[in-house]
Amino acid sequence: MIARRDYREFENHGPRARDAPFFGLTCNYLVAYYPDVFADEDKVFKALADSNRRFLLDRLREKGGLTLGDLCEGRDMSRQAVTKHLVLLEAANLVVTRKQGREKLHFLNPVPIQEIYMRWIGKFEQNRLQALHNLKQALQEDADDQV
Amino acid sequence: MTKSEFVYVTYIRTTPEKLWDALTNSEFMKQYWFGMSCESEWTAGSPWRLQFPDGHVADAGEIAESDPPKHLAIRWRNEWKPELKAEGYSLCVFEIEPEDGAVKLTVTHSMDRAASKSVEAFSGGWPKVLSNLKSLLETGQVVVSRTVDCRGEAA
């Protein structure tokens, strides 16, 4: 899941993946940092690029804490196929498991999807919210003027 | 299932000590938690409060277990929505495990009742907070920095 490398040297000055090209490739840490960020991301997109795996994520979105047996119901997939899909989803950190007695419970972990959302959409949402906020302030100032 | 529970995991390129500090330092927390801040001594039995930027108490409870920088459990109850407050206390557990130069943070939030509205409400906020926290620790910047007003909506 996480690249086998010590990242401490990147603290405080580690660039975001999307900023990396602007730093130029002369800095050694970029050479190390760059591929690993994308390796994690690749796993998420590959895991999502399959309707059966998205079906499993939807099942877990509806209800967390399902067992392998629960997840085998509702679609014509063998236990082996479901297991294989779950391994990929876990490797992408989209599914996390907890042991409860002898059972292994599966949960949807939306944090990697949230990161994708924040990266491409969060910024626009922030602008929209700022615009609404400015509009509200302007309207309130107008209203105050009229009083 | 008579329990409502969700589990979130994120891997952060930092140290357990820095992550513990980020979770328990009120000033640092404001940066990634949309202006919200916590007050606590962070030792077992001490009171805990999560406040909106305007000072209203959002959630409150007490520290159930504290083992820095590895394990923190908070008895956690919503304080501003009567229907959620009526459900009583949930348990929020942070587990911090070093993993090859990064740190695995697992957040489990649960309540011993089926279909808990509180747990559902808490579950909506965690992914944003965790991805902001990860970004802040790894790059020194948050992705979304807006603060929230006392209804939990963007101000």
Side-chain angles (χ1 to χ4, degrees):
Chain A
M1 167 82 242
I2 283 290
R4 308 275 178 261
R5 191 165 287 129
D6 191 341
Y7 281 92
R8 269 168 289 199
E9 61 182 298
F10 307 127
E11 275 169 27
N12 303 323
H13 57 268
R16 301 185 62 76
R18 62 166 182 262
D19 294 332
F22 306 109
F23 283 79
L25 287 172
T26 49
C27 310
N28 287 337
Y29 61 83
L30 282 181
V31 179
Y33 189 77
Y34 221 7
D36 296 330
V37 171
F38 287 121
D40 284 353
E41 212 167 66
D42 282 351
K43 282 184 191 167
V44 175
F45 283 107
K46 280 178 187 161
L48 289 171
D50 181 279
S51 63
N52 283 322
R53 287 196 286 276
R54 291 195 299 276
F55 172 78
L56 293 173
L57 290 178
D58 278 333
R59 289 286 310 276
L60 293 173
R61 179 171 56 90
E62 280 161 27
K63 194 176 178 194
L66 298 182
T67 62
L68 176 61
D70 296 332
L71 286 166
C72 289
E73 289 167 16
R75 193 143 175 164
D76 192 18
M77 267 192 285
S78 69
R79 204 176 171 87
Q80 257 182 325
V82 173
T83 304
K84 203 181 76 182
H85 288 312
L86 287 173
V87 166
L88 282 168
L89 288 167
E90 271 193 72
N93 197 24
L94 289 167
V95 166
V96 295
T97 58
R98 305 287 284 177
K99 282 243 166 82
Q100 189 175 291
R102 282 192 301 177
E103 285 184 324
K104 194 174 170 188
L105 305 180
H106 299 76
F107 294 86
L108 169 67
N109 182 38
V111 180
I113 298 174
Q114 179 73 34
E115 281 157 19
I116 291 168
Y117 170 84
M118 295 279 239
R119 179 167 160 192
W120 280 293
I121 303 169
K123 199 174 168 178
F124 300 109
E125 187 191 45
Q126 197 167 8
N127 291 344
R128 186 171 58 82
L129 290 168
Q130 188 62 46
L132 279 174
H133 177 70
N134 292 346
L135 176 66
K136 188 177 153 192
Q137 276 211 322
L139 290 172
Q140 279 173 347
E141 277 167 21
D142 280 354
D144 290 344
D145 288 346
Q146 284 165 16
V147 173
Chain B
M1 195 169 78
T2 55
K3 196 176 180 183
S4 299
E5 183 177 26
F6 65 83
V7 187
Y8 289 150
V9 173
T10 185
Y11 292 83
I12 304 177
R13 292 166 184 115
T14 185
T15 62
E17 292 75 17
K18 283 193 178 179
L19 180 53
W20 180 270
D21 190 55
L23 293 170
T24 56
N25 178 320
S26 188
E27 280 308 307
F28 192 84
M29 182 178 293
K30 285 178 190 169
Q31 295 179 64
Y32 67 84
W33 205 317
F34 310 107
M36 307 278 281
S37 61
C38 272
E39 268 179 31
S40 180
E41 295 293 318
W42 306 105
T43 50
S46 65
W48 168 91
R49 283 200 309 190
L50 181 68
Q51 290 174 311
F52 290 112
D54 65 4
H56 277 81
V57 176
D59 303 323
E62 63 172 23
I63 306 297
E65 294 157 353
S66 177
D67 180 15
K70 292 183 293 195
H71 182 89
L72 178 69
I74 304 172
R75 267 166 54 78
W76 183 311
R77 186 178 70 178
N78 182 290
E79 294 293 324
W80 62 286
K81 278 192 172 173
E83 71 274 24
L84 299 186
K85 187 171 180 171
E87 286 191 348
Y89 286 95
S90 62
L91 187 69
C92 181
V93 180
F94 298 87
E95 286 160 288
I96 298 171
E97 300 161 85
E99 207 164 288
D100 298 311
V103 178
K104 180 184 181 185
L105 171 64
T106 305
V107 180
T108 313
H109 211 141
S110 62
M111 193 184 273
D112 283 327
R113 68 159 61 216
S116 155
K117 292 279 173 211
S118 308
V119 169
E120 195 184 317
F122 298 139
S123 73
W126 276 119
K128 281 182 199 167
V129 171
L130 293 179
S131 76
N132 247 1
L133 170 64
K134 176 182 163 75
S135 176
L136 183 61
L137 283 171
E138 290 185 353
T139 71
Q141 289 175 330
V142 292
V143 188
V144 175
S145 61
R146 65 176 186 269
T147 55
V148 288
D149 69 12
C150 75
R151 286 167 305 167
E153 289 162 359

